[in-house]
Amino acid sequence: MTTYTLPELPYDYAALEPVINPQIIELHHDKHHAAYVKGANDTLEQLEEARDKEAWGAINGLQKNLAFHLSGHVLHSIYWHNMTGDGGGEPLAADGVGDLADAITASFGSFTGFKSQLTKAAATTQGSGWGVLAYEPLSGRLVVEQVYDHQGNVGQGSVPILVFDAWEHAFYLQYKNQKVDFIEAMWRVVNWQDVAKRYAAAKARENVLLLAP
């Protein structure tokens, strides 16, 4: 059975300075993300054992743990590639990401409106969570989701294409308790080429949800 593995960073620890310092990147990737990968694999082993023994007393906790760790792994795997030291600004047709730019305008009215909504969604998460731009396949539109922990408040079937990590371990060593300052700074490292690629891939699978035969 395939297990989950920690992906390598697509850049070195210092690549996102001054927005995110190297110490945060190293701890965040090598410790926190690694812990979610291990947690997902450990939970799969525990579920296998439960099946073998027909011992289901802990099923609720195991299913919750699997959702937590697996979602943490998925979101972080997107997060690293969503950022680049050469990023920022807004998606433009001149940069080859016109389809994404048009989709943002169609879904939110303007890039400014979208940016404001995602910023507020990420910065006002209560406790730990994420601000997420996702492709919603039923309507074919983009939506902003406010994700609690790693898996709550998500529309079923929506595909995350841009994620802002609002957990304290993503920023506290540098920004202290000023989460909103971190979220505002994040816009300077958004990799729109990566986001556009994820949007195109999600859109190509828009009929994946079969709600009727």
Side-chain angles (χ1 to χ4, degrees):
M1 180 67 70
T2 301
T3 57
Y4 300 105
T5 58
L6 179 69
E8 293 185 4
L9 287 171
Y11 35 70
D12 62 40
Y13 295 137
L16 302 179
E17 285 195 295
V19 174
I20 309 177
N21 69 40
Q23 184 183 17
I24 289 178
I25 296 294
E26 182 176 6
L27 289 171
H28 196 169
H29 176 268
D30 296 2
K31 302 299 183 181
H32 291 280
H33 189 173
Y36 301 132
V37 172
K38 183 179 186 303
N41 289 328
D42 287 350
T43 305
L44 286 176
E45 289 183 5
Q46 293 163 20
L47 284 165
E48 181 180 9
E49 182 179 355
R51 290 192 300 272
D52 290 342
K53 295 181 177 180
E54 280 291 316
W56 300 112
I59 185 62
N60 286 342
L62 289 174
Q63 294 294 163
K64 183 176 181 180
N65 285 344
L66 182 60
F68 176 82
H69 290 296
L70 179 54
S71 295
H73 174 40
V74 169
L75 288 169
H76 281 92
S77 296
I78 297 170
Y79 179 67
W80 305 124
H81 288 273
N82 272 172
M83 298 183 290
T84 175
D86 299 324
E90 64 180 275
L92 300 171
D95 297 325
V97 292
D99 286 348
L100 173 65
D102 290 344
I104 288 174
T105 299
S107 297
F108 301 99
S110 66
F111 176 79
T112 300
F114 153 67
K115 181 179 178 181
S116 179
Q117 184 176 346
L118 182 54
T119 297
K120 292 298 183 183
T124 60
T125 50
Q126 296 174 325
S128 301
W130 300 71
V132 174
L133 173 66
Y135 177 77
E136 197 286 290
L138 291 184
S139 64
R141 66 177 293 138
L142 296 173
V143 296
V144 164
E145 297 178 326
Q146 191 178 50
V147 179
Y148 289 96
D149 288 337
H150 295 315
Q151 75 277 25
N153 281 18
V154 175
Q156 296 299 310
S158 61
V159 180
I161 63 173
L162 173 62
V163 298
F164 281 8
D165 192 341
W167 283 62
E168 285 191 346
H169 63 241
F171 64 87
Y172 199 87
L173 288 177
Q174 184 173 355
Y175 293 84
K176 302 300 185 284
N177 65 334
Q178 299 303 311
K179 183 190 296 186
V180 66
D181 290 347
F182 170 64
I183 301 303
E184 290 285 359
M186 276 288 299
W187 291 101
R188 293 158 51 193
V189 293
V190 173
N191 184 348
W192 292 115
Q193 297 293 329
D194 181 70
V195 180
K197 183 168 58 178
R198 294 178 188 280
Y199 169 66
K203 190 175 180 182
R205 299 177 64 245
E206 60 185 1
N207 293 322
V208 68
L209 289 179
L210 299 177
L211 300 189

